[in-house]
Amino acid sequence: MKYLKPAFVLSLIAAGATWSCVSFAAAESQPIKNIVLVHGAWVNGSGWKPVFEILEKDGYHVSIAEHPLTSFDDDVTAVKRVLAMQQGPTILVGHSYGGAIITDVGNDPKVVGLVYIAAHALDEGETEVANGKKFPNATKAVKRTTDDFLYLDPAFYPADFAADLPKEQAKFEAQAEELTAASVFGTPAGVPAWKTKPSWYMVAKADRIINPDLERMYAKRAHSHTVEIAGASHSVYESHPKDVAALIEQAAQQAED
């Protein structure tokens, strides 16, 4: 039997170790592939379809969390259920009230980045109602049912929620609203994930549902990577899907696993 020289064996071990380090470094440098999209109040996950299609085409694994809008705890539980299904590190994306949800759910160790699309990024103890009083919005469309659910008057919905969508689409969405428990807007936030995890923020400059200045405050406070979209309504995720998808992909490429 022919024996290998010790020096040769050591060189093989060293080469193997070097290759392992290179392989590990390469794996760590790969962009995050799991994206979970979280809708806001008065809508459902179907509005994410244009963004979903772009992200899927670009090779991302995209899930849309359908939560019931019946209470903050119910909504958080529903999004956590979808997050638990993800294999590996994940980017959470929230629109509007969905931002409050991802701020809570984002504390999960599986989440490596947060993307806010014209969304609430609350600090501990804050509520959407209180922040809305500090930065009043432009809509007068909010109505209340007898059992304390809120909705937007369909006559005002197109102009206030979806001014940059095609008129017929906005009119349909006004009639297909998901009524939302009033309690979710007054639920104090817990410890926010944006204090320990990187975030990205899109300001809709013509938003009538959340004051754009409130959006800017959220983004600045969280030290978010921020973009502003001129002329964008609260439905910016539907009207500017390419811009939204680009911001999400930037988060996926820059967030650290």
Side-chain angles (χ1 to χ4, degrees):
M1 180 176 179
K2 187 174 182 179
Y3 292 94
L4 297 176
K5 293 181 179 180
F8 182 67
V9 173
L10 288 174
S11 68
L12 287 176
I13 293 173
T18 300
W19 175 251
S20 297
C21 290
V22 171
S23 299
F24 181 73
E28 281 204 319
S29 66
Q30 293 297 311
I32 309 306
K33 287 299 182 181
N34 295 317
I35 311 290
V36 174
L37 305 175
V38 182
H39 65 80
W42 306 310
V43 297
N44 58 41
S46 64
W48 285 114
K49 187 172 185 287
V51 172
F52 171 88
E53 291 175 342
I54 294 170
L55 294 174
E56 281 271 301
K57 183 179 179 181
D58 289 346
Y60 291 90
H61 172 256
V62 188
S63 302
I64 299 175
E66 286 287 3
H67 49 93
L69 299 173
T70 49
S71 75
F72 184 73
D73 287 344
D74 288 348
D75 296 338
V76 165
T77 297
V79 175
K80 284 183 175 179
R81 189 177 299 122
V82 176
L83 178 62
M85 297 166 63
Q86 307 306 306
Q87 300 297 316
T90 302
I91 299 292
L92 278 184
V93 184
H95 169 250
S96 192
Y97 159 62
I101 298 173
I102 70 169
T103 297
D104 184 296
V105 177
N107 288 300
D108 188 290
K110 191 175 288 186
V111 177
V112 294
L114 308 164
V115 182
Y116 295 92
I117 307 298
H120 289 283
L122 302 174
D123 201 351
E124 187 170 6
E126 288 183 344
T127 68
E128 294 181 31
V129 170
N131 286 353
K133 290 178 179 178
K134 295 175 184 177
F135 295 86
N137 62 23
T139 185
K140 303 297 182 186
V142 180
K143 305 292 183 181
R144 185 184 294 262
T145 66
T146 56
D147 59 346
D148 286 330
F149 275 68
L150 301 183
Y151 66 99
L152 299 180
D153 185 333
F156 295 97
Y157 185 103
D160 286 1
F161 197 98
D164 54 352
L165 292 183
K167 186 175 180 179
E168 291 305 312
Q169 180 182 348
K171 286 174 62 178
F172 172 78
E173 292 186 7
Q175 299 298 334
E177 286 187 65
E178 297 283 345
L179 276 64
T180 303
S183 64
V184 306
F185 303 108
T187 301
V191 177
W194 53 257
K195 285 194 173 180
T196 57
K197 298 185 181 182
S199 61
W200 288 256
Y201 201 106
M202 178 172 286
V203 174
K205 294 182 72 173
D207 199 330
R208 294 177 60 84
I209 300 298
I210 299 179
N211 188 323
D213 285 336
L214 177 55
E215 295 176 9
R216 294 183 182 103
M217 185 277 281
Y218 286 142
K220 182 178 180 180
R221 183 175 64 184
H223 304 290
S224 303
H225 307 272
T226 306
V227 297
E228 298 201 2
I229 306 298
S233 75
H234 196 58
S235 293
V236 60
Y237 68 115
E238 294 183 275
S239 59
H240 293 79
K242 291 182 180 179
D243 294 307
V244 173
L247 187 64
I248 294 170
E249 293 189 15
Q250 182 185 98
Q253 292 159 8
Q254 294 179 358
E256 294 183 2
D257 179 1

